[in-house]
């Protein structure tokens, strides 16, 4: 955890300069504010004593101070706003980069909506403290201290009474702030689950519509809002009311108490009339420091809690990446499985043994649920190794001993569910890697994308999830993305499932030529018989 915390802190290193300038300008403004209160006290006393020289002399000082005050105010607000705008960007980039480096099996145990919520929402809570939160805490602590020192200058007894009452109010505000933070975190978790529920329902909109289940899913969302979100928000509202009520006491009642005490001293001739105004103003200055210091303490606790929530995003195995080995060029795959077991104790791939040699094409067939996709995931090390009993060797070395990045430079797998992001066809295939125009043209022909490219162009922009093209076109773009990289070993999981028979046969013909041309070894999972004439061996599960 300490190592992760240091990585979090490192994301804010570029903000240090802005934080320092923000602190300096805001503290300067606060000190100038106290100085103005002192000068106004002198002016009032000069008026009472009819001391015109002192009056006009201090008025000049105040006017000059006001000009500086305005300039510092604009400057401090600019840097504070800049800090607010920028504080979360670095953390979002760090968390997103970290999650992309997690093992694929991690994503099987967590919902995408939860990941997105943690990256976007939890990061803002962490940044609230690590960005401007630290600055505001230090500023208000300095302001609180300076204000009381100045109050002591006027009257120690008044300062002590106000200090006692301020600390009591601080205790109440802090308690209410804690409760608000507690329920806000709970509300955040409910919001994340709501996001996930909404995303899931929208992904299944076709089934919802044809089965006429709009009300069922609408009621599910309504129940979560009514039974979980609204009660939590009512609690937040209650504690917010207590919080604001206490703040009003600090801002309105404490200054009146200070004036009453100061008036008694003025009546006894031990304080001046101007001192009443000064004590009143100084006491009124305490509202913001008490609230901000209390909020900052709670924000820090919330930030720590959020850091604990997102720390699993960081892959600590990266620290030991040099200990893993890199695979040699492919020569032979040895697969020997006793079984693969799921959490419900169901076992598949029992007593399965085969060898794949360089240049061969292996066809895996079998009914649904017998383990075809699990076999492919095993070869990609995308499953928990402890669930598998057996040996999988690449050139007589266990694939689980390899560095993942080095291993994936030798072996790639196409996905059944094509991944298409908003961008051009070219971008979706190349992913910013350098391939020649001839390589791109070749793979477009192999994957039978000629017609799409002729009609739309290679720079045609695909919408989110490729909703502006057909399922078969999406699948072929996915295949093109993998094949153009010419891995030494390629796994194709149902590569023709979204293609009609004529298009599938053309693709398989050109694929076979492409695999032979670049001496790629392949393992193909398919229900159909289209690949039978091109394969070296067939394995039935």
């Amino acid at each position: 955890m300490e190592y992760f915390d240091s990585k979090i802190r490192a994301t804010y290193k570029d903000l240090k300069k802005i934080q320092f300038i923000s602190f300096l300008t805001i503290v300067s403004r606060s000190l100038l504010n106290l100085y103005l209160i002192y000068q106004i006290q002198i002016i009032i006393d000069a008026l009472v004593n009819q001391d015109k020289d002192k009056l006009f002399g201090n008025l000049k000082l105040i006017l000059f101070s006001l000009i500086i005050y305005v300039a510092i105010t604009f400057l401090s607000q600019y840097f504070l706003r800049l800090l607010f705008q920028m504080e979360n960007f670095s953390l979002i980039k760090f968390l997103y980069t970290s999650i992309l480096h997690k093992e694929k099996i991690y994503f099987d145990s967590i919902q995408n909506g939860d990941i997105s919520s943690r990256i976007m929402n939890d990061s803002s809570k962490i940044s609230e403290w690590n960005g401007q939160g630290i600055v505001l805490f230090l500023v208000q602590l300095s302001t609180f201290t300076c204000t009381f020192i100045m109050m002591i200058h006027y009257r120690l007894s008044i300062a002590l009474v106000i200090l006692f009452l301020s600390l009591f109010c601080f205790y109440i505000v802090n308690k209410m702030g804690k409760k608000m933070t507690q329920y806000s975190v709970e509300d955040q978790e409910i919001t994340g689950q709501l996001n996930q529920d909404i995303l899931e329902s929208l992904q299944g909109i076709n089934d919802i519509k044809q089965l006429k289940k709009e009300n069922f899913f609408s009621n599910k969302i309504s129940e979560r809002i009514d039974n979980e979100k609204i009660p939590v928000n009512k609690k937040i509202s209650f504690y917010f009311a207590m919080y604001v009520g206490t703040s009003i006491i600090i801002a309105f009642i404490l200054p009146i108490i200070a004036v009453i005490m100061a008036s008694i001293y003025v009546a006894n001739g031990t304080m001046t009339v101007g001192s009443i105004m000064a004590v009143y103003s100084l006491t009124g200055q305490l509202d913001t420091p008490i609230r901000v210091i209390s909020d900052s303490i709670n924000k820090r606790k919330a930030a720590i809690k959020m850091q604990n929530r997102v720390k699993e995003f960081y892959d600590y195995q990266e620290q030991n990446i040099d200990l893993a080995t890199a695979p040699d060029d492919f020569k032979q795959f040895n697969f020997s499985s006793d079984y693969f077991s799921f959490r419900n104790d169901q076992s598949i791939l029992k007593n399965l043994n085969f060898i794949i040699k360089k240049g061969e094409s292996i066809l895996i067939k079998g009914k649904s649920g017998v383990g075809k996709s699990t076999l492919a995931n095993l070869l990609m090390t995308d499953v928990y190794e402890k669930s598998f009993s057996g040996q999988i060797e690449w050139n007589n070395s266990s694939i689980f001993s390899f560095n993942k990045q080095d291993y994936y430079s030798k072996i790639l797998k196409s996905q059944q569910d094509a991944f298409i992001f908003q961008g051009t066809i070219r971008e979706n295939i190349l992913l910013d890697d350098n391939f020649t125009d001839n390589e791109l043209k070749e793979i477009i022909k192999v994957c039978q994308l000629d017609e799409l490219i002729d009609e739309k162009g290679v720079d045609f922009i695909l919408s989110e999830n490729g909703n502006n093209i057909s399922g078969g076109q999406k699948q072929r773009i996915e295949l093109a993305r993998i094949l153009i990289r010419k891995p030494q070993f390629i796994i194709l999981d149902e590569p023709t499932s979204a293609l009609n028979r004529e298009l599938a046969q053309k693709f398989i013909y050109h694929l076979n030529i492409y695999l032979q041309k670049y001496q790629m070894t392949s393992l193909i999972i398919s229900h159909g018989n289209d690949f039978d004439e091109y394969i070296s061996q067939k394995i039935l599960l």
Side-chain angles (χ1 to χ4, degrees):
M1 179 63 186
E2 184 177 344
Y3 183 80
F4 178 73
D5 288 344
S6 67
K7 297 288 287 186
I8 289 285
R9 288 192 295 271
T11 63
Y12 298 102
K13 64 181 181 181
D14 293 336
L15 299 178
K16 294 298 182 185
K17 184 177 180 180
I18 301 176
Q19 285 180 315
F20 177 73
I21 296 174
S22 298
F23 173 78
L24 200 62
T25 53
I26 299 173
V27 167
S28 298
R29 188 187 67 187
S30 298
L31 292 175
L32 191 56
N33 194 33
L34 296 178
Y35 174 74
L36 287 169
I37 291 173
Y38 173 69
Q39 286 297 326
I40 292 171
Q41 175 252 313
I42 293 175
I43 287 175
I44 292 174
D45 287 337
L47 282 170
V48 172
N49 297 324
Q50 297 185 348
D51 187 344
K52 293 183 179 179
D53 292 336
K54 199 170 190 179
L55 173 65
F56 290 113
N58 281 278
L59 281 174
K60 292 177 182 178
L61 283 173
I62 287 178
L63 289 173
F64 179 72
S65 299
L66 284 174
I67 294 171
I68 298 175
Y69 185 86
V70 170
I72 293 177
T73 298
F74 281 114
L75 198 62
S76 63
Q77 287 303 311
Y78 168 74
F79 282 104
L80 192 63
R81 187 64 186 179
L82 185 63
L83 187 60
F84 172 77
Q85 295 289 356
M86 296 180 62
E87 62 188 3
N88 202 28
F89 297 155
S90 296
L91 184 58
I92 289 174
K93 289 188 286 187
F94 168 71
L95 291 177
Y96 182 65
T97 301
S98 297
I99 197 70
L100 290 181
H101 284 86
K102 293 290 288 184
E103 298 285 352
K104 182 179 175 296
I105 53 178
Y106 170 79
F107 298 92
D108 296 333
S109 60
I110 189 168
Q111 296 174 326
N112 291 338
D114 189 28
I115 293 175
S116 177
S117 176
R118 292 192 201 182
I119 291 177
M120 300 306 297
N121 298 325
D122 292 4
S123 64
S124 67
K125 296 292 184 182
I126 297 171
S127 295
E128 272 188 77
W129 166 249
N130 288 285
Q132 61 176 335
I134 293 175
V135 172
L136 293 177
F137 173 77
L138 294 175
V139 164
Q140 297 305 329
L141 189 61
S142 302
T143 301
F144 188 84
T145 303
C146 292
T147 301
F148 266 102
I149 291 172
M150 197 165 173
M151 287 187 70
I152 291 171
H153 163 73
Y154 286 106
R155 184 62 60 175
L156 177 61
S157 57
I158 296 176
L160 291 175
V161 170
I162 296 301
L163 176 62
F164 172 78
L165 293 175
S166 296
L167 291 176
F168 176 74
C169 290
F170 172 80
Y171 173 79
I172 300 298
V173 167
N174 192 46
K175 277 287 186 183
M176 298 304 102
K178 281 182 181 178
K179 289 292 185 180
M180 286 167 58
T181 300
Q182 173 188 334
Y183 288 111
S184 293
V185 170
E186 187 175 336
D187 182 56
Q188 194 81 44
E189 292 172 350
I190 295 170
T191 300
Q193 187 57 55
L194 270 172
N195 288 338
Q196 182 64 31
D197 290 347
I198 292 171
L199 283 172
E200 287 178 348
S201 63
L202 293 177
Q203 288 169 356
I205 192 66
N206 291 333
D207 285 346
I208 292 174
K209 298 297 288 184
Q210 69 178 352
L211 297 174
K212 301 179 182 67
K213 288 298 178 181
E214 294 92 341
N215 289 338
F216 171 75
F217 285 94
S218 176
N219 290 337
K220 278 187 67 177
I221 297 298
S222 297
E223 287 175 8
R224 189 179 289 279
I225 291 173
D226 293 340
N227 299 332
E228 298 180 31
K229 195 163 180 66
I230 289 178
V232 167
N233 278 269
K234 283 183 177 179
K235 291 177 181 178
I236 293 174
S237 299
F238 170 77
Y239 289 113
F240 179 76
M242 296 291 291
Y243 175 90
V244 172
T246 307
S247 297
I248 291 172
I249 291 173
I250 299 170
F252 183 70
I253 296 179
L254 289 190
I256 292 177
I257 293 173
V259 167
I260 292 171
M261 294 182 67
S263 298
I264 294 172
Y265 286 112
V266 170
N268 292 332
T270 55
M271 285 183 70
T272 65
V273 174
S275 298
I276 295 178
M277 187 286 308
V279 169
Y280 176 82
S281 298
L282 289 170
T283 307
Q285 297 285 311
L286 298 176
D287 174 41
T288 300
I290 288 175
R291 283 190 295 103
V292 173
I293 291 172
S294 175
D295 287 346
S296 297
I297 292 171
N298 291 320
K299 283 178 180 178
R300 181 179 181 275
K301 292 178 180 178
I304 292 172
K305 187 169 184 177
M306 293 303 174
Q307 282 181 208
N308 289 332
R309 263 171 54 92
V310 301
K311 69 178 181 180
E312 66 183 57
F313 283 7
Y314 184 71
D315 190 354
Y316 292 91
Q317 292 181 358
E318 287 183 357
Q319 303 169 50
N320 302 318
I321 198 168
D322 293 334
L323 299 179
T325 60
D328 298 326
D329 288 342
F330 179 73
K331 295 177 183 177
Q332 181 172 295
F333 237 132
N334 296 319
F335 185 92
S336 177
S337 171
D338 298 325
Y339 60 85
F340 180 89
S341 61
F342 294 101
R343 292 180 180 177
N344 59 4
D345 294 330
Q346 177 188 358
S347 296
I348 55 174
L349 304 179
K350 296 179 182 178
N351 302 317
L352 177 62
N353 301 281
F354 59 84
I355 295 174
I356 306 175
K357 294 182 179 180
K358 181 178 179 179
E360 290 186 332
S361 288
I362 310 300
L363 179 64
I364 304 293
K365 302 186 75 171
K367 298 178 180 179
S368 297
V370 296
K372 299 188 300 298
S373 293
T374 301
L375 172 59
N377 291 333
L378 268 171
L379 296 179
M380 295 298 295
T381 68
D382 284 342
V383 295
Y384 289 105
E385 185 181 357
K386 292 180 180 179
S387 300
F388 175 66
S389 176
Q391 287 289 330
I392 308 176
E393 294 180 338
W394 173 291
N395 300 345
N396 298 318
S397 296
S398 172
I399 61 173
F400 297 105
S401 68
F402 294 145
N403 175 295
K404 283 292 183 69
Q405 292 183 351
D406 291 329
Y407 185 53
Y408 289 162
S409 69
K410 308 285 187 182
I411 181 171
L412 292 175
K413 170 179 172 285
S414 70
Q415 309 299 324
Q416 286 193 51
D417 296 324
F419 164 55
I420 303 295
F421 60 89
Q422 188 170 342
T424 66
I425 295 174
R426 184 195 303 272
E427 289 171 336
N428 269 270
I429 294 175
L430 302 186
L431 300 179
D432 203 35
D433 286 337
N434 292 320
F435 292 97
T436 66
D437 289 341
N438 287 336
E439 287 178 297
L440 182 58
K441 289 177 182 177
E442 180 182 32
I443 207 61
I444 285 172
K445 181 178 180 181
V446 170
C447 294
Q448 300 299 294
L449 289 166
D450 314 60
E451 185 177 338
L452 174 64
I453 301 303
D454 290 342
E455 178 185 352
K456 305 287 188 181
V458 74
D459 291 315
F460 173 69
I461 297 177
L462 304 175
S463 63
E464 181 184 358
N465 199 33
N467 290 329
N468 55 347
I469 58 175
S470 69
Q473 290 168 334
K474 289 196 288 186
Q475 186 178 47
R476 280 173 280 157
I477 290 174
E478 164 77 21
L479 289 165
R481 178 189 298 143
I482 301 300
L483 286 166
I484 197 173
R485 286 162 171 78
K486 307 177 187 68
Q488 295 179 14
F489 194 103
I490 189 167
I491 300 173
L492 303 177
D493 193 352
E494 299 289 353
T496 59
S497 60
L499 308 184
N500 60 48
R501 183 170 179 79
E502 180 182 355
L503 200 56
Q505 288 177 339
K506 288 181 180 179
F507 165 70
I508 294 170
Y509 173 76
H510 287 285
L511 172 67
N512 183 58
I513 296 173
Y514 188 80
L515 295 176
Q516 291 181 8
K517 178 179 178 180
Y518 294 105
Q519 297 182 323
M520 296 160 59
T521 307
S522 60
L523 184 143
I524 301 166
I525 298 172
S526 178
H527 283 91
N529 301 318
D530 295 331
F531 287 94
D532 288 11
E533 64 179 288
Y534 299 102
I535 59 169
S536 306
Q537 60 173 306
K538 183 191 300 184
I539 299 174
L540 298 176
L541 300 183

